Amino acid sequence: MKAMIFAAGLGTRLKPLTDSTPKALLPISGKPMLEHVILKLKDAGFHQIAINIHHLGDQIIDFLTANNNFGIEIHISDERDYLLDTGGGIKHAAAFLQGNEPFLVHNVDILSNIDLRALYNHHLETNPLATLLVSKRNTSRYLLFNKENKLCGWHNHETGEVKSFYPDFDPKQYNEYAFSGIHVLSPQIFDYMEEWTGKFSIINFYLSICAKTNIHAYADENLHLIDVGKPETLAMAEKWVQTLIV
């Protein structure tokens, strides 16, 4: 089973901590957040993992080497020359991720109690192009899904902006969910990416194709999740990680 960890972010909101340390290596309860995610994936059966790097990427390589890649196969997807965003990052790692089985993508700064194997198995059973782990948590930007949990659009509550490729789209008619930064993708995703090059967002990509294929929501009512992207959430994570079911 293959997975990819997004570890290339600049960590701008966590400055000055990220001036000399990549966000992925900031410690939470004594372990870098990258280690938390690697071990969670490993425990779920993912033993082939791509990790993209950019900001202070050498430190991540050295960390993995010092830990013998945690006993699994790790592929470095090198974006040190140019940061490719989420969609571009996945496409850049295509040679490693392509195959006959789906792969899971996990942001390095997301900690959760989600059963990753159950999420993966749900994707296998329902067989959409992509399965997005979502929740009802408060945010300003929501993905919009129909009654069949199929992605249909996006709504920014702060700006009022709406995105959808459906005609006469009314966001009020759809269920709002916040994306978690964890998703499972079928390898056929790369067929849809042929015309997409360089840097691009995976969410914009999903929105551009959702009218002609199935991008599916997976909502776990018992999901507890924290996005460790800001100093205040980093402090919260120090305490919260102790209660995680990993």
Side-chain angles (χ1 to χ4, degrees), residues 22 25 34 53 56-70 76 80:
L25 295 186
L34 177 61
I53 60 170
L56 302 174
D58 290 350
Q59 291 186 32
I60 294 176
I61 293 173
D62 292 344
F63 170 74
L64 294 169
T65 301
N67 287 278
N68 297 309
N69 286 344
F70 295 92
I76 295 296
R80 282 175 287 185

Side-chain angles (χ1 to χ4, degrees), residues 78-89:
D78 197 338
E79 297 180 30
R80 282 175 287 185
D81 289 339
Y82 185 62
L83 190 58
L84 293 167
D85 205 343
T86 48

Side-chain angles (χ1 to χ4, degrees), residues 135-168:
S135 69
K136 285 290 189 180
R137 65 184 174 89
N138 290 328
T139 183
S140 60
R141 295 168 294 181
Y142 288 94
L143 295 175
L144 305 175
F145 295 85
N146 66 14
K147 293 178 181 179
E148 288 74 42
N149 283 332
K150 185 177 183 294
L151 179 65
C152 296
W154 175 92
H155 187 199
N156 186 324
H157 278 229
E158 287 186 357
T159 65
E161 183 183 3
V162 174
K163 293 180 182 178
S164 178
F165 282 80
Y166 286 88
D168 302 319

